[in-house]
Amino acid sequence: MVRLRIFLSFILLSSLVLVGCSTSPTGRKQLKLYSSNQIAQQGVLAFDHIKGKQKVSHNPRYKRYVQCVADSITKYVPKNVFNGKWEVVVFDSKQVNAFALPGGKIGVYTGLLKVAKNQDQLAAVVGHEVGHVIAEHGNERVSNNALVGIGLQVADAALKANDVKQSKTIMSALGVGSQVAVTLPFSRIQETEADEIGLNLMAKAGFEPKQSVELWKNMQKASGGSRNLEILSTHPAPESRIKDLQKHMNNALLIKKQSTNTPNCRI
């Protein structure tokens, strides 16, 4: 009976992988098990939850500034990703962060405005976050988490079927192994991909792509050199990020040269 459950789980796992395979905007293979509408609905719910829990800034200058940059960037989001007016909220927090969610939602923390020194650097962050949405990284993460969960269930059944001693300890190790070897490195791939997409977005919008590198130099200074080892981080180290951005810079500069946009967003 146990072996049958293992076999059926394996069949389900294989079927999900075959059905959910797709390709990202940069040509990378992805696993997406959920519909875009399902993920967008979750994005809207999550955004409403955040607005209910965190203080929203009512500074009109911040609002106009961030909205200006966001509008310039989201103008170039494919209509099949989101075809509507993006909701942009500035949160009153020291966090040096921003995010974008499926369903047309963008959040920027006021702490970021002290590190992103100009419109171009803010555009680099917003472009990156919107890049996650364009590449459907949310769908991909949820799908991969589900896949890892199914894989662990299969492994657990296999351990019990073979009477392996201390299976709970082994399962715990597998859980850590899955997180470090699968989830976190994959997230770093997504971050690098979002950087590339965001770099092109900001260039199309008329922002200066080279300022994305300056942004990460600022981030490095703001962190004071305090961060986890890259292998255990969900984000690339600033040095790696700068190197990857520079690799795609010539293409972004060409896009910028062809753009007729001249954004003028100021606090």
Side-chain angles (χ1 to χ4, degrees):
M1 190 66 179
V2 173
R3 286 191 175 88
L4 178 60
R5 286 201 299 268
I6 295 172
F7 177 72
L8 291 176
S9 296
F10 177 76
I11 294 297
L12 173 61
L13 186 64
S14 301
S15 300
L16 287 173
V17 171
L18 289 173
V19 171
C21 283
S22 62
T23 304
S24 77
T26 64
R28 180 176 59 82
K29 294 296 183 183
Q30 292 178 295
L31 177 69
K32 293 185 291 186
L33 303 179
Y34 304 92
S35 72
S36 297
N37 286 338
Q38 285 176 302
I39 298 300
Q41 288 171 7
Q42 293 303 313
V44 172
L45 290 173
F47 197 67
D48 287 342
H49 177 75
I50 294 169
K51 286 191 296 181
K53 293 290 185 180
Q54 299 192 17
K55 184 180 179 181
V56 174
S57 172
H58 297 292
N59 186 318
R61 294 184 299 116
Y62 286 168
K63 175 66 176 177
R64 284 195 301 269
Y65 176 52
V66 174
Q67 188 77 53
C68 177
V69 172
D71 286 346
S72 300
I73 292 291
T74 55
K75 179 181 177 181
Y76 292 95
V77 173
K79 299 303 180 185
N80 66 308
V81 173
F82 182 73
N83 186 16
K85 177 69 174 176
W86 286 69
E87 182 182 2
V88 180
V89 174
V90 180
F91 294 100
D92 189 2
S93 169
K94 293 181 180 179
Q95 286 190 61
V96 181
N97 209 350
F99 63 89
L101 293 172
K105 309 296 181 181
I106 293 174
V108 173
Y109 296 93
T110 53
L112 175 65
L113 303 181
K114 296 180 180 180
V115 179
K117 301 296 186 181
N118 53 49
Q119 64 169 1
D120 305 290
Q121 292 182 17
L122 180 58
V125 179
V126 174
H128 167 87
E129 299 302 334
V130 172
H132 280 304
V133 176
I134 292 175
E136 295 191 75
H137 288 159
N139 193 337
E140 191 176 14
R141 285 178 178 180
V142 173
S143 300
N144 277 278
N145 286 341
L147 188 63
V148 169
I150 292 172
L152 291 177
Q153 289 174 15
V154 173
D156 187 37
L159 288 171
K160 290 177 180 177
N162 290 294
D163 296 322
V164 178
K165 293 181 179 180
Q166 298 179 333
S167 61
K168 288 185 180 181
T169 302
I170 295 173
M171 282 303 300
S172 177
L174 282 175
V176 174
S178 296
Q179 185 181 19
V180 174
V182 180
T183 309
L184 296 186
F186 198 80
S187 182
R188 291 199 297 272
I189 291 172
Q190 291 174 328
E191 291 294 328
T192 301
E193 186 170 56
D195 273 343
E196 181 182 351
I197 296 170
L199 190 66
N200 292 339
L201 275 178
M202 68 180 294
K204 288 178 183 178
F207 295 103
E208 176 50 60
K210 289 183 179 179
Q211 283 295 312
S212 62
V213 172
E214 297 306 312
L215 166 75
W216 283 102
K217 289 179 180 178
N218 292 348
M219 289 284 193
Q220 199 168 22
K221 291 177 184 176
S223 71
S226 176
R227 59 175 289 115
N228 292 327
L229 293 174
E230 185 175 357
I231 191 66
L232 296 177
S233 172
T234 58
H235 289 66
E239 299 89 344
S240 300
R241 204 153 208 165
I242 289 171
K243 184 178 179 180
D244 285 329
L245 285 167
Q246 289 173 332
K247 184 170 64 176
H248 300 291
M249 191 60 66
N250 286 339
N251 183 58
L253 291 173
L254 179 60
I255 294 172
K256 167 68 167 60
K257 186 176 180 180
Q258 295 170 343
S259 174
T260 59
N261 297 309
T262 54
N264 185 25
C265 305
R266 297 179 182 179
I267 296 180

